[in-house]
Amino acid sequence: MSRGRGLRRLAVLLLTLALVGGGIYTAVSFLQRSETLVTERCTADVGTQSAELATDQAANAALITALAVRRGLPPRAASIALATAMQESKLRNIGHGDQAGPDSRGLFQQRPSQGWGTEAQVMDPVYATNAFYDALVKIPGYESLEITEAAQRVQRSAYPLAYAQHEDMGRFFASGLSGQTPESVQCTLRAAQAAGLPSAVESGLAVAFGPLATMTEGGSLVVEASGSQAWSVAHWAVANAKELAVTRVDVAGRSWQRQDTEGWQASDAAEGQVRITLAPAGTGT
């Protein structure tokens, strides 16, 4: 082989490697850019209708609904609570009030000066939600009242008709998060940036639902539950997937996967349990 031909072959080889390397870099860069373009959100689909929340709003909605389930309240109670919290705080645990209630705080903008509790208490989402339900269940026939009337009797708002604009959102998310409408809640999320901890999921579930039978299997937390409770737990896990680094939820022959935009799909998930799979160690490094 002549020296010139050898140099030409070497040049071709180097060019090929450069093109391959460049292609890989371009592909990786494209995937990274695509990842940043994902609009993170959660939806609740009931029939042909749908409602949408930001991921932090969905996590709060899941807690509010789970506490209703824990208390044995009907989904209607949760839908009233969700519509109320959306109107009062945009379903966010805010630490300030407004001109109508400068000392209002928390998810429901409850006022310590009106006997709702201390500032620290109304800023606790669990306390605030239970305080709302305590007041709601004292209203005779609240389940059959218009949402504006039921919410107003609890809140005494200056704008009672405003609650109605959130009724569909409250009803759709309450139906899904209470487990009454299976595979209705799903979230579109970017890849997890850190590993998930089964203990953190277990702790969150205990706060929301009370004691549940659970066990850890590798990177998954398995919860013993069936029927509507199983779907309530599964939807809670999906709604909290961003914060808890959940990558997959399996329940009753269906599964939700974090980076699958097609929603709930068929799986071999066993009956009587919910498997919550978390991002493994090394994620995001």
Side-chain angles (χ1 to χ4, degrees):
M1 182 186 296
S2 68
R3 183 169 182 272
R5 183 179 297 177
L7 289 174
R8 283 195 298 274
R9 288 189 173 182
L10 177 61
V12 170
L13 176 62
L14 292 174
L15 178 60
T16 300
L17 291 173
L19 289 173
V20 171
I24 293 173
Y25 174 79
T26 300
V28 171
S29 298
F30 174 77
L31 290 173
Q32 289 175 337
R33 289 196 300 273
S34 298
E35 182 76 5
T36 61
L37 292 175
V38 170
T39 300
E40 296 190 310
R41 61 194 178 91
C42 296
T43 59
D45 304 314
V46 178
T48 60
Q49 297 180 291
S50 180
E52 179 178 318
L53 292 174
T55 55
D56 62 323
Q57 293 174 313
N60 285 327
L63 174 64
I64 290 170
T65 307
L67 289 170
V69 172
R70 181 175 181 175
R71 293 173 64 125
L73 299 178
R76 180 63 174 171
S79 67
I80 295 168
L82 292 179
T84 302
M86 175 60 86
Q87 175 59 31
E88 298 292 352
S89 70
K90 300 300 181 186
L91 267 171
R92 293 184 167 107
N93 194 37
I94 54 178
H96 59 80
D98 54 29
Q99 292 182 348
D103 66 332
S104 300
R105 298 291 186 272
L107 286 172
F108 295 91
Q109 287 291 278
Q110 294 155 333
R111 301 181 64 181
S113 64
Q114 293 185 350
W116 283 101
T118 67
E119 181 173 336
Q121 285 175 324
V122 298
M123 281 298 296
D124 175 357
V126 174
Y127 175 93
T129 300
N130 278 318
F132 179 88
Y133 286 139
D134 286 345
L136 180 65
V137 298
K138 293 176 182 177
I139 300 171
Y142 75 87
E143 297 175 60
S144 60
L145 294 177
E146 291 292 331
I147 198 165
T148 51
E149 185 175 356
Q152 174 64 1
R153 289 197 190 182
V154 175
Q155 297 293 107
R156 305 296 181 187
S157 170
Y159 309 98
L161 297 180
Y163 298 116
Q165 64 188 312
H166 308 297
E167 182 169 8
D168 285 346
M169 179 282 301
R171 185 158 48 86
F172 297 165
F173 272 94
S175 182
L177 291 167
S178 66
Q180 300 304 305
T181 306
E183 58 187 284
S184 62
V185 176
Q186 51 191 304
C187 296
T188 301
L189 302 171
R190 302 186 188 105
Q193 297 301 302
L197 298 173
S199 59
V201 178
E202 185 175 23
S203 177
L205 284 169
V207 169
F209 293 95
L212 294 172
T214 63
M215 61 181 174
T216 300
E217 292 184 357
S220 299
L221 183 74
V222 179
V223 184
E224 291 185 17
S226 60
S228 62
Q229 185 187 45
W231 276 106
S232 185
V233 168
H235 284 154
W236 177 94
V238 172
N240 284 275
K242 180 177 181 179
E243 180 68 23
L244 296 174
V246 174
T247 59
R248 176 171 176 146
V249 178
D250 290 277
V251 57
R254 308 295 289 175
S255 77
W256 170 86
Q257 297 187 58
R258 187 184 184 110
Q259 293 182 282
D260 185 347
T261 59
E262 298 303 315
W264 290 89
Q265 301 292 317
S267 77
D268 59 358
E271 293 285 347
Q273 65 178 36
V274 181
R275 180 178 293 272
I276 303 168
T277 303
L278 307 167
T283 298
T285 59

